[in-house]
Structures are given as C-alpha cells and as structure tokens.
Amino acid sequence: MDRNDENDGQPARIPQQRSSVPSFLFLIFMLFILTNHTGDEFLARNHYQDALQSLNYQLSNFTAWLNGTESNFTMPDRNTAAAPLVGSFMSFGSRLNSQWASYFSNVTGFAHGEIDFFNITPPSLESATYPWRTHAETFMGDTNMTDLVSHFGSWNWTGSDKISWSIMDRAPISVKGVTEKIAMVHGRIDVRHPATSDDMKLDFEGVHFLANGSIYGFAEPTGRHIDIRYIPAFVPEAFQNDTARTIEPELMSRINKVKDMIDAGVIDQDSTSMPKLPPVSVTLLTVLGDGEPQGGCGFSVYAQIAPSEIPAEDMEDLEDELQKPTGRWTVKRPPLKLNGVLLSRECGILYNLHDAEGLRSQLFFRKVATYAGISAFVYLVQLLLLSRQVDRSRTPAGLSRVSLWTFLTQSIVDSVSFAGHITFAIIANGRPSLSLVAPAFVACVLFAFESQHAILINQVQAPEDAVAPPPPRPVQQEPSLPSQAVPTPTTAPPRSTGPTFSSLLFRHIRSDPQARICRWLGMFFFLTFIVRVIVTPSLALVFVASMYSLFWLPQIIRSVKKGRSSALTAEYLIGTSLCRLFHALYFLTCPKNVLDVEPRRRYRVVDEPDLTYILLGWMWYLAMFIFLQVVVILLQQRFGPAFFLPKRFARAQVHDYHPALPLSAADPEAPDESLGDCAICMEAIHTEDEKQLEHVTGGLLRNVGARRSYSLAPCQHLFHTECLEKWLAIKNICPHCRRPLPPL
C-alpha cells in the first residue's frame, strides 16, 4: 500500500519551520567568544606588563649596585661553609691544557642520574658519623626547625633516588670588563620517587663557566620566582664580579623579549624571560587544580662537567658540526658526564648527584626522528597485514569466524597510540614534531580500518548471536499434496531463552533516539579514559597489560563456543603480534627510550632478588603469553577448536543441516524422487543427483566427503547445499523468513 493511501482521510501535517532565534543566539555567542578579550589573552597581557615593570625595577637597582650608587638591592652574605661541604662530595674543575683535554662548551640537552639523600638537619647530625658533619653543622647554623618542617610539604624527599635535568645553555656574550667566558643556563630538574609516578619539578637558573666546566645556580619549586641577581653570591669569590656583570645584559635581554612579546600579542606562559606567577596566582592555581603543593624546598645547585680527552680545537669542530651539520669528519663524540650537589638550607636536605649521563638536544632530535621512522614503518606493516586479512575474510562466512573483541581492542590501542604520538609531537615543539606526525597518522588510519572492520563484524554476527525466535511449526498439508510437506528433523531445535536485562538495556540505549545523551556520555568517558591513560604512567601500565592480554584470547573463546576454527591467518597472527610488541617492549624494556620510561624501576619491596627479577621482567612474561595464544589459535585450526578441553566440555551446540529426511513423492518408485523444492532456486532437490554432489564436495564442504545434497535450516526451510553455500557467502540470514542462520 502506498503511504499516501494510508494517510487518506487524515489532514496533512504541515512541516513546522524551525525558529531562527536559536541560530541567531548561537551566532551572537560565537562572535562574543571570538571578540572577547577578557580571557587568558587579556590576563597574560596584564601579567606581561607586570613582569616588564618588575624586570625594569630589578635592572635599575642592580645596575645602581654595580656602579656603587644608592640602590635598594643588597647581595646576600656568602655562606662560607657551603664550599667545603660541597667539596666533600665532588671536586670542582680546573683549567686544562687545551692541546690534550677540554670541557663541553655547550651542555644543552638532558641529563639523568642517581642521587643519594642525606639529612643535614641539626637533630639528625647529632647522631651522625659523617666525615663532613662539622661542615654541615656550620652550614645549617641556628636553623629554625619549625620553619624547616613547614617547607617539606607532602613530597617524600627521603625516598627520591633519581633526577632528570633539562638544561638550556646559552651562548656566552662578550661583556666589557669580563675576562671569563660565562654562559647563562636555565632549565628544569625533576626529582623522581621510585614507588610513585609523581615528580617534584624544580625550575633552574644558573651560570656555566666554560673554562673549568663548573655550573652554579638555584632550583626552586615551579611557581616560585628565581632572582638571578643573587647568583654571584654562590659562585667562587674570584668570579663574583664577572658573574654580576654577566647578569646585567641577561636582564636587559629578558626585558627586550617581554617587550617584543607584548607588542606581538604572543602568549607564552612558559617563557623564561619573565618572572613566574605571583604567590596569589600560584595559590589560586593550587586551589583550582593541583591541590596542596608538594613542597617548598629551594636548592643551591653545584655541578661539574667531566673533562674529555679531546683537544679544545677538535671539541669546537665537533660542536660546530653538531649545531650545523655538514657531513664533514669529526672526532668521536665523547660521553657527557655530570656530578653535582643539590643543597637546601631551608629544608636541611643534601642530594649527591653522581655519574649523570647527558644527551645533547641535537642528538635527542635525531633519536626521536629515528624512532618516528621505525614506528611509522611498523604501523605500515600492521596496516598491510590487516588489509590482507580483511581481503581473505570479507565474506559473512569468514566474518562469523573472527572475534569482534580482537579487532576492537586493537583499535583502542591504536587510538591511544595516535593520541600519544600527537601529544609527544606537541610537547616536543621543534624539529622532531614533524617526524612524529608520521606514526600518528598511520596509527590513525589503522584505527579507522580496524574500527570499520569491527563494525562490519558486529553487523554480521549480531543476528547470529542474538536470541532467535522459536521456529514456526510445520504446516499440516492435505493428503492430496504430500510433496509440499517437509518433516521435522530428528534433532530438536535448541531451547530459546529470554533476553537478559543488560541486553535489553543496551538495545534500548542503542536504538532509542531519546537515549542519545547516554551515547554521548559514553563517548565522553571513553575519551577521558584515553587522556588519563596518556598522562598517568601507572594507569598506562595497567592498560597495556589488559589490552595486550585481550588481543587473541577472545578469538580462542569464540572458536570454542561456536565449534569452528578462526579465519585468521598465521601471517596476520604472528606479524601483528610482533608489531604490537615492538612499542611495548621498546618503552618498557629499553632503558634509553625517547620518553625516558624506565624498564620497571629497580626497587625492592623485600630483600629477595627473585622478586626484583619478576618486577623487572613482567613485560617478557606478557609477550610469552601473547605468543602462547597465537600457538593455541593455530592448533585450533589444525586439531579442532576445543582440542585442549576435556570431551565433556568440548561439545559445541552445532545445528545439523543434513538430518535424515524421507522422500516427498507419493510413489517411492516414481522416476521423480525428490525431497521438495529449494527455497532459493525453486528447483527440485534430488538425493542422487551426481552433478549436485560434485558441486557440494568441491565447495566449502569438500573435506566431509559425500555429504547429502540438501540442507535443512533451523527455520525448517529446505535448500540445495550448493545454493545455501553461495547464499551464506553473502548473508547469514534465511532468504525466505530472514531469521539468522548458523554457519554451514
């Protein structure tokens, strides 16, 4: 019946025009957002102006102090006990013979090393037997223990064992009256705790003496302003004047940079050219976001670069080639080693940094680019394997033999990989950013293909996995028409059960338009989980272990439940497993990966070496578990889906398409003996048709020998086996009543 006929006699519904008021309000709101200047940009501009005023004030007072005129600036008194205390842990460098040895003139890059904690508070020193105890007691003096405890915060300073030091070394500038080559350095120091994934972040400002490879500076918790005018009070007294005259042009350079940023309207909150947020802003950010500050301990930093056995001229050539590569020959790059001491009088803490390994920024960029190229190649191999597997199992018969969760978990892992590479590219913010886009793009394409394939699998398997309604009873035919009756098979159909509450709820959320908000909330929580996985290392480890364990396990379970082997090829199983394990093994077992993720930290809960070995090698156990699943799937294809289960648990409920059926003809001796007509081709079904038997045994059922030429579906419709094979290669539902059909 035509739809117009159904509406006869009823008044036609006039479509109601949508009001233009919401659209108008939406446009007004967007214009307000685009033209509004009361947000972060306006606040940042005001902060820049306050910073510029503060820097001008600092420069004027510092310049007056240098010239010996009246000034509000006063250099703090030098603590004479600091030098002998630091000298008890490290030796400062001296001038070298430039023909035989030299120091690194530029240490821009990253340094990682282990630290030893020492408590130098007066109560702790009373019972200590350190040889440097006297220097520590003199250094601490009459410290107020009440103020000292208040600076500790929530951070566990005693348990920290490693630091990561990011250093930016500027080129030294010539200053009138300065004889030493002094370079300004800044960066960040991350103090790590082995039992947690948190880091104590300290901002660093200091100076680097190129002649002896010594570094002096301050390290303060993020948010606290570092006044670089006080650095001359911590360097050796012989270099105090030269250091002070080097600070003056640095302040002028920062003032000019802030002016340029204000004129250009650039927002750069992380710029080192401006002071940090004032205490009120830091408190506000603490209340809104990060909660209680971790600690308020400031440190004096003393570091010494290890000398190299390379002449100064060759070291300069090496540095020039590193900064501006031309391909010319240079000497072999020596390792960059650092030793140092972090000393805090306000908290009574001393950290001894020993044998820290440094990596130059240019070398790090090359390392990131190399990783990006290898990672993109691995993803391309995965994409090729996936495309070949999809081509082999694109039919409904093939799709019904693979697990939906196998491809769904892989798509989730690829989505996290895509977001992680993009985040890494944004954080890198330099030359390696472009190279990291390549693996991110290929991971995104792989995620799209896997999601599309998972949706296709769900469309094919949904009717099969759904609870099918009971088949209709066979219609009683008149005795005069016996050829139309199809007897009931000897095997009774499986007993149907009603849908569960969870399945009904899921079906309602998926189909009801009013439940759209639930789907959007589910998507929001999923994206939130993905972001949390990226930024939380402990959650990332749980995610890797759970997702990698679920790659092939659902396929094994589905094969056992359905009683048929998988359609996954050995090429896809082995190749995908190797490619998947590349990233996990690289980041969790390689000690020098690009993200500096440690291969399970070497701490012991108890004094048992075996337990430490297990903590360090859990990723290798996961890799063995993955390949064990691959072996099980391959054995299922050879020996049967349930070969590893006892016989009483290995009986899968499979429909018998070929029950014994009597002939439908009234006279058994008639020349046209048939079972009835095929519901697809509408031709008679003969049990002794040699042509049909040849087609059947040469088709999908060639491994079972001379199978009968007919197939009886659970819905009691009869087909040629050849016709049903061709139909199931297109759809897995009955062509007559549209009920789901089990695999043939």
Side-chain angles (χ1 to χ4, degrees):
M1 179 183 292
D2 190 48
R3 184 176 297 179
N4 296 330
D5 297 336
E6 295 179 358
N7 297 331
D8 289 345
Q10 298 180 3
R13 296 181 61 183
I14 301 176
Q16 185 178 2
Q17 295 183 354
R18 180 176 296 180
S19 175
S20 60
V21 175
S23 301
F24 176 75
L25 294 178
F26 177 76
L27 292 176
I28 293 297
F29 175 75
M30 294 302 297
L31 290 175
F32 173 76
I33 293 297
L34 294 175
T35 58
N36 182 30
H37 294 286
T38 60
D40 295 338
E41 183 178 355
F42 182 73
L43 293 177
R45 186 178 181 88
N46 289 337
H47 179 49
Y48 283 1
Q49 292 176 350
D50 294 340
L52 180 60
Q53 184 178 0
S54 175
L55 288 173
N56 284 322
Y57 180 77
Q58 293 177 12
L59 178 61
S60 60
N61 285 293
F62 189 68
T63 303
W65 177 81
L66 285 176
N67 297 330
T69 59
E70 184 179 356
S71 171
N72 292 329
F73 173 76
T74 302
M75 186 69 67
D77 296 333
R78 182 184 303 273
N79 193 327
T80 56
L85 178 59
V86 174
S88 302
F89 294 91
M90 56 171 286
S91 300
F92 289 99
S94 58
R95 296 180 181 273
L96 303 174
N97 187 342
S98 60
Q99 297 181 355
W100 304 101
S102 62
Y103 295 101
F104 280 91
S105 60
N106 191 326
V107 292
T108 299
F110 310 92
H112 309 278
E114 297 182 354
I115 54 176
D116 298 327
F117 169 81
F118 295 95
N119 188 347
I120 59 174
T121 57
S124 177
L125 291 174
E126 291 178 358
S127 58
T129 59
Y130 301 126
W132 41 265
R133 171 185 170 183
T134 305
H135 300 310
E137 290 176 344
T138 306
F139 175 78
M140 295 300 297
D142 53 349
T143 304
N144 190 332
M145 291 300 301
T146 303
D147 295 339
L148 187 145
V149 173
S150 64
H151 290 145
F152 276 107
S154 60
W155 180 257
N156 185 6
W157 298 98
T158 60
S160 304
D161 65 344
K162 292 180 181 293
I163 69 167
S164 176
W165 192 354
S166 174
I167 311 173
M168 177 64 71
D169 198 342
R170 298 184 180 180
I173 58 176
S174 58
V175 181
K176 184 178 180 181
V178 176
T179 58
E180 292 289 335
K181 286 187 177 182
I182 304 175
M184 299 297 302
V185 293
H186 63 272
R188 192 179 70 180
I189 300 176
D190 296 337
V191 183
R192 300 183 177 181
H193 194 280
T196 64
S197 58
D198 297 331
D199 296 339
M200 167 57 70
K201 303 183 184 304
L202 305 173
D203 292 330
F204 171 74
E205 295 281 355
V207 292
H208 173 203
F209 292 92
L210 275 63
N212 57 5
S214 301
I215 298 176
Y216 303 86
F218 297 119
E220 296 286 348
T222 301
R224 289 175 57 175
H225 173 57
I226 300 178
D227 196 341
I228 61 175
R229 298 178 299 173
Y230 295 150
I231 294 179
F234 290 86
V235 303
E237 190 171 2
F239 303 124
Q240 181 173 355
N241 292 334
D242 289 346
T243 305
R245 296 189 179 277
T246 305
I247 297 295
E248 183 180 13
E250 175 66 18
L251 288 174
M252 297 178 60
S253 174
R254 297 189 178 190
I255 290 174
N256 294 331
K257 186 174 182 179
V258 173
K259 288 181 178 179
D260 296 338
M261 294 169 66
I262 293 176
D263 296 338
V266 178
I267 300 178
D268 185 10
Q269 290 285 4
D270 296 331
S271 176
T272 58
S273 302
M274 53 184 297
K276 300 299 178 183
L277 294 173
V280 176
S281 301
V282 175
T283 305
L284 180 60
L285 292 176
T286 301
V287 173
L288 294 179
D290 298 333
E292 183 182 357
Q294 292 179 316
C297 298
F299 292 86
S300 303
V301 181
Y302 305 86
Q304 178 61 46
I305 303 173
S308 63
E309 298 179 356
I310 297 178
E313 184 178 357
D314 294 341
M315 180 65 75
E316 292 179 1
D317 293 340
L318 179 63
E319 182 66 26
D320 293 341
E321 179 65 19
L322 190 62
Q323 295 291 341
K324 299 178 181 180
T326 59
R328 62 175 178 173
W329 179 89
T330 59
V331 295
K332 184 179 179 180
R333 186 181 300 108
L336 176 59
K337 298 287 186 177
L338 288 173
N339 294 300
V341 172
L342 279 71
L343 193 59
S344 176
R345 188 175 186 274
E346 58 182 350
C347 291
I349 296 175
L350 187 149
Y351 284 129
N352 179 27
L353 172 65
H354 48 84
D355 296 331
E357 296 184 1
L359 179 66
R360 296 294 305 276
S361 297
Q362 289 77 9
L363 301 179
F364 174 73
F365 294 158
R366 297 178 187 177
K367 187 176 181 180
V368 172
T370 303
Y371 159 77
I374 298 176
S375 180
F377 174 76
V378 171
Y379 279 123
L380 285 174
V381 173
Q382 288 182 239
L383 189 60
L384 176 61
L385 293 172
L386 178 63
S387 62
R388 291 169 63 89
Q389 176 61 43
V390 169
D391 290 338
R392 291 189 179 100
S393 61
R394 64 172 54 186
T395 62
L399 293 175
S400 63
R401 296 168 56 197
V402 296
S403 174
L404 168 67
W405 294 102
T406 293
F407 291 92
L408 193 60
T409 53
Q410 293 189 63
S411 65
I412 294 176
V413 171
D414 289 328
S415 65
V416 174
S417 178
F418 163 72
H421 282 91
I422 287 295
T423 304
F424 189 13
I426 294 174
I427 294 176
N429 192 23
R431 282 177 287 181
S433 299
L434 186 60
S435 61
L436 289 169
V437 174
F441 173 75
V442 184
C444 182
V445 174
L446 189 61
F447 162 73
F449 272 85
E450 288 168 342
S451 302
Q452 183 182 9
H453 194 56
I455 294 173
L456 186 60
I457 294 173
N458 182 62
Q459 292 175 352
V460 172
Q461 296 181 359
E464 176 186 347
D465 297 336
V467 178
R473 294 182 178 179
V475 181
Q476 298 293 336
Q477 303 291 344
E478 297 295 336
S480 59
L481 300 173
S483 60
Q484 300 298 326
V486 178
T488 306
T490 57
T491 57
R495 192 179 206 180
S496 61
T497 58
T500 61
F501 172 76
S502 58
S503 62
L504 289 175
L505 179 62
F506 178 74
R507 190 183 306 171
H508 171 72
I509 294 176
R510 186 177 61 178
S511 59
D512 190 358
Q514 296 181 355
R516 186 180 302 173
I517 183 64
C518 297
R519 296 195 293 271
W520 284 108
L521 285 176
M523 182 63 68
F524 170 75
F525 286 123
F526 173 74
L527 295 177
T528 303
F529 170 75
I530 295 298
V531 173
R532 292 300 301 174
V533 165
I534 297 173
V535 300
T536 308
S538 59
L539 187 59
L541 295 178
V542 177
F543 173 81
V544 169
S546 59
M547 289 293 103
Y548 275 63
S549 300
L550 294 178
F551 278 162
W552 313 122
L553 192 60
Q555 181 62 58
I556 298 175
I557 297 175
R558 180 174 180 84
S559 298
V560 173
K561 290 178 61 177
K562 298 300 180 180
R564 57 187 185 272
S565 60
S566 69
L568 302 178
T569 62
E571 174 191 78
Y572 177 74
L573 290 169
I574 299 175
T576 302
S577 299
L578 291 174
C579 293
R580 293 291 179 190
L581 288 173
F582 165 75
H583 294 89
L585 293 176
Y586 173 72
F587 286 110
L588 297 179
T589 62
C590 180
K592 296 184 179 181
N593 55 78
V594 293
L595 293 181
D596 193 33
V597 178
E598 297 184 8
R600 291 292 75 213
R601 300 176 180 175
R602 298 177 179 270
Y603 66 92
R604 297 181 181 180
V605 181
V606 294
D607 293 332
E608 295 182 6
D610 294 338
L611 179 60
T612 305
Y613 177 77
I614 292 175
L615 290 176
L616 293 175
W618 71 270
M619 189 59 209
W620 295 107
Y621 290 105
L622 180 60
M624 289 188 291
F625 179 65
I626 292 174
F627 278 101
L628 177 62
Q629 299 175 43
V630 173
V631 172
V632 171
I633 294 177
L634 296 178
L635 292 178
Q636 282 181 321
Q637 297 175 0
R638 183 174 181 83
F639 300 106
F643 74 95
F644 55 91
L645 294 177
K647 292 184 178 180
R648 58 176 179 172
F649 300 110
R651 296 176 182 176
Q653 190 174 5
V654 181
H655 175 72
D656 184 12
Y657 274 96
H658 313 287
L661 298 178
L663 296 176
S664 61
D667 186 4
E669 297 180 358
D672 189 14
E673 297 179 358
S674 66
L675 298 174
D677 295 337
C678 176
I680 296 178
C681 67
M682 306 307 293
E683 294 183 0
I685 300 176
H686 300 280
T687 57
E688 301 296 335
D689 192 339
E690 297 295 336
K691 182 178 180 181
Q692 292 180 0
L693 287 176
E694 181 181 355
H695 283 297
V696 173
T697 56
L700 295 176
L701 303 177
R702 60 182 179 273
N703 294 329
V704 298
R707 184 72 65 87
R708 292 184 178 92
S709 61
Y710 63 84
S711 295
L712 183 65
C715 54
Q716 310 303 315
H717 290 112
L718 196 62
F719 310 92
H720 287 121
T721 303
E722 177 190 3
C723 297
L724 188 59
E725 286 179 357
K726 295 179 180 179
W727 174 260
L728 289 178
I730 302 174
K731 292 185 178 180
N732 60 342
I733 58 177
C734 178
H736 198 72
C737 63
R738 318 302 290 179
R739 285 183 172 85
L741 296 178
L744 185 61

